Amino acid sequence: MPNVHPRRPGRGYPRSIVGRAGYHLYDLACPITPDTWTSALWGAHSATSAALQVRDGGERSAYAICRPPGHHAGRDFAGGFCYLNNAAVAAAVLRDKYQRVAIVDIDVHHGNGTQDIFYDRGDVMTISLHGDPAEFYPFFWGYETERGEGDGLGANVNLALPRNAGDNQYLDALHIGLSHLRDFRPQALVVALGLDSYKNDPLAFLQITTTGFERIARVLSSLRLPTVLVQEGGYLCEDLGMNLASFLTGFEAEQLQQA
Ligand SMILES: [Zn+2]
């Protein structure tokens, strides 16, 4: 655990391990223990495995139950329980076959790591729906003014939702997000699937219902893209399994209707 974090990263890179820990671990939710690397690596392998099923295995979609999660991990930083960015790994695997890949992050927290990794790239569009960072973790990223840079300008879309936004408001924002995909014309999709936007999640900020997850899933499935679902957040509450079942059932039902 670091005991110091750079006030403004990028101004010098220390030799000391304490300094380096502070440089790369931006909060205290990412202690490094003897087993951390093995766990993070196999979490990322799960995402790779799911992406390979879609890329080469003839599956139209696959779900990776990655632990630890990944979307707060950037190019050179870990935070928010995330060490390796599983959704970005899945996108990279898909990118070997598909020219343009979209990542839609529906975790209640902004996918700041994913944003960081693809911020200057025009071949991977990142869209994140999340609680307003002015009031909610990760606080320092996730504002709508962050739109990408260089080749990636316009390929990063942040949709910040106010506290207690419910299903309908969320779906409106999702449709706005997906309207950005029209011009981008993605050939494959990664969903950073957080279930912590649930109304009874211990970290509750939004008010998504169990049925809401099914509705969100149907919208994403209706894009008719090869899709990798990567598990992100979702904290212990009685309904967590039911919410996942609701999402997957909706996703599959929409797929079957299309078939
Ligand atoms: Zn989360």
Side-chain angles (χ1 to χ4, degrees):
M1 296 276 281
N3 68 354
V4 60
H5 299 273
R7 177 71 182 80
R8 290 188 177 79
R11 302 206 179 157
Y13 185 65
R15 273 193 297 278
S16 152
I17 190 66
V18 177
R20 286 194 176 181
Y23 187 96
H24 294 289
L25 305 172
Y26 71 79
D27 63 25
L28 299 179
C30 275
I32 291 186
T33 71
D35 297 325
T36 299
W37 174 248
T38 306
S39 304
L41 184 62
W42 283 95
H45 283 333
S46 302
T48 300
S49 177
L52 288 172
Q53 288 297 316
V54 170
R55 194 189 73 183
D56 305 331
E59 298 290 346
R60 182 143 157 233
S61 59
Y63 165 64
I65 186 160
C66 297
R67 276 298 176 262
H71 74 148
H72 295 306
R75 281 180 244 209
D76 66 353
F77 60 77
F81 317 128
C82 300
Y83 300 87
L84 296 174
N85 194 312
N86 307 311
V89 167
V93 171
L94 293 174
R95 190 52 198 81
D96 283 341
K97 178 173 176 183
Y98 304 102
Q99 296 296 309
R100 292 177 305 282
V101 175
I103 301 176
V104 177
D105 189 323
I106 61 167
D107 188 281
V108 74
H109 304 98
H110 175 239
N112 57 320
T114 318
Q115 167 173 302
D116 175 71
I117 290 167
F118 297 109
Y119 206 60
D120 57 0
R121 283 175 55 170
D123 57 335
V124 178
M125 175 171 262
T126 47
I127 298 175
S128 180
L129 287 87
H130 47 265
D132 185 351
E135 290 188 49
F136 199 51
Y137 186 90
F139 301 110
F140 306 108
W141 300 265
Y143 297 88
E144 300 195 355
T145 49
E146 296 156 20
R147 300 184 55 244
E149 65 188 14
D151 290 347
L153 186 60
N156 188 81
V157 178
N158 285 328
L159 295 154
L161 289 149
R163 189 182 291 278
N164 294 328
D167 293 346
N168 289 336
Q169 197 174 353
Y170 193 94
L171 282 152
D172 286 347
L174 182 59
H175 283 293
I176 291 170
L178 298 186
S179 69
H180 290 268
L181 288 185
R182 253 177 246 134
D183 291 339
F184 180 68
R185 293 180 295 117
Q187 296 162 319
L189 175 70
V190 175
V191 178
L193 174 54
L195 297 167
D196 45 8
S197 55
Y198 183 50
K199 62 187 174 71
N200 295 332
D201 189 276
L203 303 185
F205 189 87
L206 302 182
Q207 293 281 320
I208 304 305
T209 64
T210 300
T211 316
F213 286 111
E214 181 188 336
R215 292 172 66 194
I216 294 164
R218 281 180 177 273
V219 171
L220 293 168
S221 185
S222 70
L223 294 172
R224 300 180 174 221
L225 292 168
T227 301
V228 181
L229 308 168
V230 176
Q231 185 65 52
E232 298 288 354
Y235 296 86
L236 272 184
C237 68
E238 256 178 39
D239 304 330
L240 183 58
M242 208 163 68
N243 291 337
L244 176 61
S246 176
F247 185 94
L248 295 177
T249 304
F251 196 88
E252 198 171 29
E254 183 69 29
Q255 250 183 11
L256 289 172
Q257 270 180 17
Q258 295 162 17

